[in-house]
Amino acid sequence: MATLIDMPKLSDTMTVGTLVKWLKNEGDAVANGDMIAEVETDKATMEVECFDDGVLIKQYCKEGQEVPVGGAIAAVGEKGEEAPEVDNSDAGGDAEDEKKEDDGGDEKEAGKDDEAKSSAKESKPDEDKVKGASDKKSDDTPAEVPAPATTDDGERIKASPVARKIAAEKGIDLATLKGSGPGGRILKEDVLNAEPAPAAAEGGGSGAGKAAAAEPAKPVATLEELDLPVSNMRKSIAKALVSSKSNAPHFYLQIEVDGAPLAALRKELNAKLAELPKEHGGTKFTVNDLTLKAAAEAVRRVPAINRSWEGDTIKQHANVHLAFGVAIDDGLVTPVIRAAETKGLREIGAEAKVLIKKARDKKLAPDEMSGSTLTVTNLGMFGISDFYGIINPNNAAILSIGATIKKPVVNENDEIVIGQTMKIGLSGDHRTIDGAVGAQYLQALKEILETPALMLV
Amino acid sequence: MALITYREAIKQALAEEIERDENVVIMGEEVAQYNGAYKVTEGLWDKYGDKRLVDTPISEAAFSGLAIGASALGIRPVVELMFMSFSYVAIDQLFNNASFCRYMSGGLMNVPIVVRGPANGGTNVGATHSHTPENMVANHPGLKVVCPSNAYDAKGLMKTAIRDNDPVFVMENTLLYGEKWEVPEEEYTIDLGVANVLKEGSDVTIVSHGRCAMISLSAAKILKEKHGIDAEVVDLRSIRPLDEETILNSVKKTNRAVLVEENKPFCGVDAQISHMIQYKAFDYLDAPIHRVSAVDAPQIYAKDLENWQIPNEERIIESVLKCVS
């Protein structure tokens, strides 16, 4: 009996996934645990795992095609077996979701939608069309009709509408549930009692070799006009940042820090660590590692910077979940170091390294890039000396770390000497914090960066 | 607040409106000198005389037509039908003329009449006197239908109906006339199209109207005590306009609906409401919508059989238990 593999819901906000690459072709033998495809969500590219042994008898979509969450992407069965008919032609992506959210939608459209969906598994009797037509006269706001669910062997699953709705929202497969209602109907309670299905794929691990799905961007030889497709990640970035910039009234502060002590410390540390035997040394710290540590440390002195705007309340967090920007092909992700204020430089450095690698391989798990309370972004490596980031939604602030550059400075003796300075910008959400809080925080950060031994305390 | 009968509440509404507006006139068979077949207008003729209470011959078609014509000239007639079943005799006047006057005159003529009287069965008066015609009336665009379930609503809704500029049918329930409820002394009205949640609950929504709403309420109490089921009881008060919002909000909360009415099931009011719920709250349902209606046969004359024919607590409880199983 053939089993359908559905587009998994890999993040809270995911409604549609793009099948980036098939890892198994039609006719290939597959076993439980095999990765069969790579899927791009709004946040990352992840692998889809197969939970059955057999042969991949059918691919229902091409590479590059978008499939809504829950839509079938492949069928696994016995060799020579015929794959069930599946129609993914209504994979309309965001446009469709928006239409559905607007529940006062045009009935003609809604009717069409239902038909397309039901044709996947069930042929609906004609009365439905007739009824739809007669309804047009009287009622104006129909309820949405969820697609009928079926078991592996194609039998209709008995589930109440509200149970279907909640299951769809929570990503629970109705086929995995036992109904307690009449005739085994799955009820709301049955779905609420069920644990959500585990995410199909986890980033990292054995897939290191095949990890780099996307090749590095090739330089364009001549300038030409291009209409570039908007990836899910781009959409997601656009949505989050528009929301932040339009909802959070940003204010901006900047402080200039003497970068010499930090540079000296880094040089000394890295030199010493290189000399030490591998089990004690074997690591190198970047300026980013040191600024991350300092940023987390400074929150201890000004905890008010570590807040979230929650609408009716402002939450001051008990831990610093420190996000930092990582530029990747076609986008930007912000992995999070959890409870950064409790971690030493070595832990932060090691964790950042792993997260950056995962980010570049597009293997970050959704929970590795959510729940930040403060964000650090660094464009120093590009020689940018000062800039201001857009606040990560709901954080109170984002720190923008510029390059450490040599320039004339006036020292304590009023002499002009060559100094190493670093500019740190802070964009603050004025709903959550005021300028003074931002200023106090930058002051604390400056003190720690200029006397980096304070990080030991 | 005074404890008064449903009959007395309606009489108070009629008297107060006669006092308030000199155009309000009551007409019908035996409404004046005989004081009304069901004594709803008792004492009003003595007090207000021939000009305000008009006895008519046994001629529903004629006096309904008279009321419609009078309403065109500024009178606000309240037409009493001895039984709402007799509205069928006046079908051409009420369902062809009153309902469509405003539409067919291009809005130039409105018909501010109230058609009221006892409806429903349970009084052992046979098939031709026991109709529950709210579905038939509500089927005519232009007609409003009100079904008060208690004395408080009967008074408030009657006053609103008399002040309404379109024809309103007030279906009084014969079996409720002698029952008593608390009614305030001071003036109040109840808007049409606003349902009343008689009892809040979380497990199932019982939607009902008229006397059936009261039976549903007592069934809900038994369900709570004996079965631990917390039913919410929604009393529609008016069938048209229909308060869809209150029904939908309740069903979205409880995910289940049992509809109770004394109408015959085929093409009943509950059929309309059932369609509306599944159409607008399909995703919120956890069970099929259940209906408790009168048994689908001409009203039975024999007392015990008629009591079996119309909804009672047992049948409602049975249906709710099926719905929540």
Side-chain angles (χ1 to χ4, degrees), chain A residues 146-224:
Chain A
T150 52
T151 57
D152 292 351
D153 45 9
E155 242 179 70
R156 191 183 161 82
I157 296 172
K158 282 187 183 171
S160 71
V162 70
R164 281 175 203 277
K165 183 180 182 233
I166 296 169
E169 282 166 4
K170 296 195 164 207
I172 295 171
D173 182 2
L174 288 170
T176 63
L177 302 183
K178 258 203 147 63
S180 65
R185 188 191 302 129
I186 297 165
L187 305 179
K188 176 167 104 174
E189 210 180 335
D190 301 327
V191 181
L192 291 178
N193 288 341
E195 287 295 313
E202 280 241 343
S206 60
K210 47 191 169 176
E215 297 199 352
K218 291 189 183 96
V220 180
T222 54
L223 295 175
E224 59 179 314

Side-chain angles (χ1 to χ4, degrees), chain A residues 139 143-144 160-162 188, chain B residues 255 275 279-280 282-283 285-286:
Chain A
D139 297 337
E144 295 158 24
S160 71
V162 70
K188 176 167 104 174
Chain B
N255 310 122
H275 162 76
Y279 195 66
K280 296 190 177 176
F282 185 71
D283 283 336
L285 290 174
D286 210 5

